[in-house]
Amino acid sequence: MALREKFTDENLQDILPHGTPDYPMAVHMTDLSEYAERCVEWHWHEYVEFTLVLSGELNCRCSGDCIALRAGDGIFLNSRVLHRFETETDGMIVSALFSPEFISAKGSLIYTRYVEPCLVRGKAYLELRHEDGRCTDCLRILERVRECAASDVPIKALRLHNHISALWELVSPRILGEETEAEPRQGAPENTRLLRMAEYVAAHYAEHITLADIAASANISQSEALRCFHVGMQTTPVRYLNEY
């Protein structure tokens, strides 16, 4: 079986199409065994993502954490969060990705009150465990999203939008978290610094650049650059440069 090719640009941004300009939402089935080393490598996107594990066991790495997921579990990944999926055996997932404006147009009351706060100060990710009673309805809706996307019902576009809106209604309070509503998003500073340093490497890798240069691109110390790469990607800036 031919392995899947790279799907990110030089800045690790996902370049796969997810819907269309007039309908910015898509549902993708992914078999991790089709990727090199059974891993969907580090990437990020502007879209919000909900992923449901259909079979197998896998890890999702993001914000310095390694989240173990089993069949029946799901995960929410916020916009612009660097992440990757990996498995040692097999893992089949279905992912719903959509622009935050898919729920409601930017500037609308719904976007301003219920979407934007989650993007600005919401959690980087949210685990959806099948044994957690709070997640039962969310996981059930994700399954409906998968079924609807695979169907040929005439009103599929509207039904998918309704499912996503219902899902957002359930998870948005947890994305914000009652105790963190006035705090920055978990992992946001490290994630932003990592993206800046990755962009710098992409633009200057052919030059003679050093750890100091990479750290300066994000206006942080060399020790902080080392910490960001270690926590966020389990590597070092120089190793990342060499591999790039």
Side-chain angles (χ1 to χ4, degrees):
M1 178 185 296
L3 295 178
R4 293 288 186 92
E5 297 181 359
K6 185 179 177 67
F7 62 96
T8 58
D9 64 12
E10 62 274 12
N11 299 320
L12 300 182
Q13 183 172 7
D14 181 0
I15 57 175
L16 291 177
H18 303 301
T20 59
D22 62 342
Y23 195 80
M25 184 270 183
V27 178
H28 303 296
M29 295 283 293
T30 303
D31 183 349
L32 269 64
S33 67
E34 295 181 358
Y35 288 82
E37 299 182 359
R38 301 178 183 271
C39 173
V40 179
E41 273 296 355
W42 293 104
H43 65 285
W44 62 275
H45 36 68
E46 299 287 351
Y47 281 29
V48 167
E49 176 176 347
F50 283 91
T51 287
L52 176 66
V53 181
L54 299 178
S55 63
E57 298 181 356
L58 56 92
N59 293 325
C60 176
R61 294 186 181 270
C62 66
S63 296
D65 296 328
C66 180
I67 304 102
L69 300 170
R70 298 178 296 165
D73 291 335
I75 190 167
F76 157 80
L77 295 164
N78 216 327
S79 172
R80 297 183 64 85
V81 170
L82 194 63
H83 61 281
R84 86 173 197 170
F85 292 104
E86 61 190 27
T87 181
E88 295 182 356
T89 54
D90 293 299
M92 180 74 74
I93 60 177
V94 58
S95 301
L97 292 92
F98 55 92
S99 166
E101 293 182 60
F102 179 72
I103 297 175
S104 186
K106 185 178 292 187
S108 68
L109 182 146
I110 290 176
Y111 185 93
T112 302
R113 186 173 295 179
Y114 303 110
V115 179
E116 189 172 29
C118 294
L119 305 178
V120 174
R121 61 178 187 268
K123 297 177 181 178
Y125 70 89
L126 182 67
E127 299 175 34
L128 303 173
R129 300 290 182 182
H130 71 274
E131 67 269 18
D132 185 344
R134 297 174 301 169
C135 301
T136 301
D137 289 340
C138 297
L139 294 170
R140 188 174 294 135
I141 293 174
L142 275 176
E143 180 60 30
R144 290 173 185 161
V145 168
R146 182 187 71 82
E147 293 172 352
C148 184
S151 72
D152 294 320
V153 294
I155 59 171
K156 177 163 68 174
L158 178 59
R159 186 166 294 175
L160 281 171
H161 184 272
N162 290 341
H163 286 328
I164 293 299
S165 295
L167 182 61
W168 195 259
E169 179 182 353
L170 288 173
V171 302
S172 56
R174 292 187 61 198
I175 293 170
L176 284 171
E178 294 181 358
E179 74 284 357
T180 59
E181 289 190 3
E183 298 177 2
R185 177 197 297 183
Q186 173 186 344
E190 291 80 3
N191 190 74
T192 300
R193 291 165 182 167
L194 269 176
L195 294 182
R196 287 178 181 171
M197 290 187 282
E199 289 172 356
Y200 180 83
V201 169
H204 301 279
Y205 72 93
E207 306 168 16
H208 180 67
I209 60 176
T210 64
L211 171 59
D213 297 322
I214 296 173
S217 70
N219 296 316
I220 57 178
S221 66
Q222 295 182 49
S223 60
E224 179 63 10
L226 287 167
R227 189 190 71 81
C228 285
F229 271 89
H230 174 71
V231 170
M233 298 179 70
Q234 294 77 57
T235 188
T236 68
V238 173
R239 185 177 299 126
Y240 176 81
L241 169 63
N242 291 336
E243 292 176 352
Y244 186 90

